Amino acid sequence: MEILKKVYALYPTRGLKCDGCSLGENYYGDEICNLYHPQHSLKIKVCAKNNNVQQECKLCRINLPKMYYYCSICDFAIDLICVKKEVKKEIGDSKIHEHLLSLVPEMVSFTCHLCQVLDDRFPFVCNLCDLSFHQDCAESISEINYSCHPQHPLKRFTRVPNRTGENCCLCGNKLHNVFYHCSVCNFSVDINCVKNPPPFSLLQPKAHEHPIILMPQRSFVCNACGMDDDPNPYFGIWDGIELEGISETNIELKSYEVVEEGLIKHSSHQNHVLKLNEESDADVEAIVCEACVYPVFCGPFYSCTECDNYILHQKCAHLPKKKIDSFYKMDITLFPCDKMETILGLCEVCQHFFQGFRYITKDDITLDMRCGSISEPFFHESHPHHPLYIDFTGNKTCKACGDEATFILSCQECGYFLDIKCPFLPNKVKHKYDKNHFLFLCYGKNPSDQYLCEICEEELNSEKWFYRCDECCITFHIKCTLGDLISLKQIVDAEPIKLEVIRNIHMTRLVCAVCHSRCHFPYMLKCSSPLGMDTLCSLQCFRQKYFHKMTPLYELSI
């Protein structure tokens, strides 16, 4: 261009970035007309190399490069990239508004009806409703499937969530009024990257013989240039094994094999056959599942055809032997209790003590079978219309129990939250206060209804979950019904303390040595030490008195 020759000496080169347009191949005229500034023409302006441009582009708001288009009458500037963008005069197929939206090609103040952000330029307006929108907001949809993040859908956001970076995870630009975000993976992309995504896979035989895959948000050093300034690498991930026709995302291995209908052999009990039972005729808490250590109140469940005391819930028996866990994205392996039956575990996710089956990673990260069994999307009958996803964005209040939790299951559509432990509460239980009937789990009732717990005789919050006998019309707190020792069943002997879970079936309620209340929970913890014996009502009281005196919980065994 002749105008460049007046300012710069021009010579052929390669491998450098153009300061004018970042491209350098397309021709730009000296004077143009643009629909964002129809009142005057725009002329090309070139700044000397030693002069800094202090203005921003009126469209993208990014600092102007050395060469841009400018109206000296209105002080209006636009960079060379935005000049090439298609200008829409109307949006007739918006998913957020039913009427035609028309561009106002002026620098005027407005508040976007979708994101509620006050802006000063180029709104799209509905002349029937007197509403204004940003173009990106008007063209947005509530959810997208994004090629660079195929594992989860991305939701439209108009506010940056807490503990989320303010920049796009791909291009690094600051997130503006509307963007797309995965709260499961804390992954955000701006509108430009949504419209123009980088390729998910590349085949560059001169650089590497295998296809390379985009793996966003990872620290790495490039094998080609040695730089570490880009957080979105491409990897060669071929393992040398041809898997034609086999899904590489599904590595789950079964923990059982079918002998015949209703009979299986399980990896936890390999020498005997387990038989499927549809219903349990046992009394309250008479039999316990070896995997989850919950009482088997009802069927279906598997029982050993030769042993009298080996029981598995059907759901527990069908847990995969190996899978990828949903929290750490690592391979985990299921270990049965016959190899660890005397070990008291501490789950890395929910921080609860447990016994029974557990999932363990190669790095010895331990998850109880409930947390380890969670897969995404997660479905629960308390919220049947939408799936739930793991959310790491901070403390949220559980809809079921009212407690705050860091790891939660979240509905991205309507803000429904469950902590990790509540989805696995048994739907049907028995209790000594109503021996003749089952108690059923209720997922909250009308908040105007008032209920009393039959056990503690205190009012319960009807908006939270509780147990109810439909025959007798009586209600129970969940903790009063189950306690918090329900996932423990063994004696644990760890010098100098010996622990034993006992049933609270005394004529007179025992007094907890820590909180000094007469325990009404179904189980208690008897703790023996050289200093004497204590009876505790809950794990909370156990933590308060003994936790600092004991070796790490995952090392405790008989």
Side-chain angles (χ1 to χ4, degrees), residues 277-322:
N277 302 269
E278 293 298 335
E279 292 295 337
S280 169
D281 56 1
D283 197 1
V284 180
E285 302 143 337
I287 55 176
V288 172
C289 174
E290 294 292 321
C292 66
V293 197
Y294 276 12
V296 180
F297 294 109
C298 56
F301 64 92
Y302 285 99
S303 61
C304 180
T305 55
E306 299 185 40
C307 305
D308 293 333
N309 59 352
Y310 198 88
I311 308 292
L312 291 175
H313 289 115
Q314 185 183 45
K315 287 184 177 180
C316 297
H318 291 176
L319 289 175
K321 177 70 175 177
K322 289 188 177 182

Side-chain angles (χ1 to χ4, degrees), residues 260-465:
E260 59 180 75
E261 186 177 357
L263 296 177
I264 65 169
K265 274 192 174 181
H266 198 272
S267 60
S268 66
H269 201 65
Q270 297 179 5
N271 296 328
H272 299 152
V273 174
L274 304 183
K275 178 182 178 181
L276 181 64
N277 302 269
E278 293 298 335
E279 292 295 337
S280 169
D281 56 1
D283 197 1
V284 180
E285 302 143 337
I287 55 176
V288 172
C289 174
E290 294 292 321
C292 66
V293 197
Y294 276 12
V296 180
F297 294 109
C298 56
F301 64 92
Y302 285 99
S303 61
C304 180
T305 55
E306 299 185 40
C307 305
D308 293 333
N309 59 352
Y310 198 88
I311 308 292
L312 291 175
H313 289 115
Q314 185 183 45
K315 287 184 177 180
C316 297
H318 291 176
L319 289 175
K321 177 70 175 177
K322 289 188 177 182
K323 67 187 293 283
I324 295 178
D325 90 278
S326 297
F327 296 92
Y328 300 100
K329 309 301 181 185
M330 302 173 70
D331 292 348
I332 53 177
T333 302
L334 184 68
F335 286 89
C337 56
D338 59 354
K339 300 189 179 199
M340 300 187 170
E341 61 181 344
T342 61
I343 296 180
L344 182 65
L346 181 65
C347 178
E348 296 281 350
V349 174
C350 65
Q351 294 296 303
H352 288 170
F353 303 136
F354 72 95
Q355 288 176 298
F357 288 16
R358 63 203 64 203
Y359 281 100
I360 301 178
T361 71
K362 293 180 180 179
D363 299 324
D364 290 329
I365 296 175
T366 300
L367 286 74
D368 67 22
M369 53 80 56
R370 283 170 281 275
C371 292
S373 68
I374 293 176
S375 296
E376 294 178 304
F378 185 86
F379 295 92
H380 195 266
E381 61 184 20
S382 68
H383 196 66
H385 303 299
H386 303 135
L388 304 177
Y389 294 92
I390 296 171
D391 192 333
F392 303 92
T393 57
N395 288 346
K396 298 285 194 331
T397 301
C398 173
K399 177 68 174 177
C401 63
D403 294 342
E404 286 195 348
T406 302
F407 285 137
I408 59 169
L409 292 166
S410 150
C411 174
Q412 299 174 355
E413 294 287 340
C414 52
Y416 183 88
F417 304 114
L418 292 178
D419 66 18
I420 299 300
K421 67 181 186 298
C422 287
F424 297 98
L425 291 171
N427 291 329
K428 189 163 68 170
V429 302
K430 280 188 175 180
H431 194 273
K432 63 182 181 180
Y433 274 47
D434 193 357
K435 292 183 178 181
N436 297 324
H437 306 126
F438 279 111
L439 307 180
F440 293 90
L441 184 61
C442 294
Y443 302 126
K445 294 288 186 179
N446 192 322
S448 61
D449 295 340
Q450 293 185 341
Y451 300 96
L452 291 177
C453 175
E454 189 72 12
I455 300 173
C456 68
E457 299 180 351
E458 295 181 3
E459 186 175 354
L460 59 79
N461 185 349
S462 60
E463 294 185 83
K464 306 303 178 187
W465 293 6

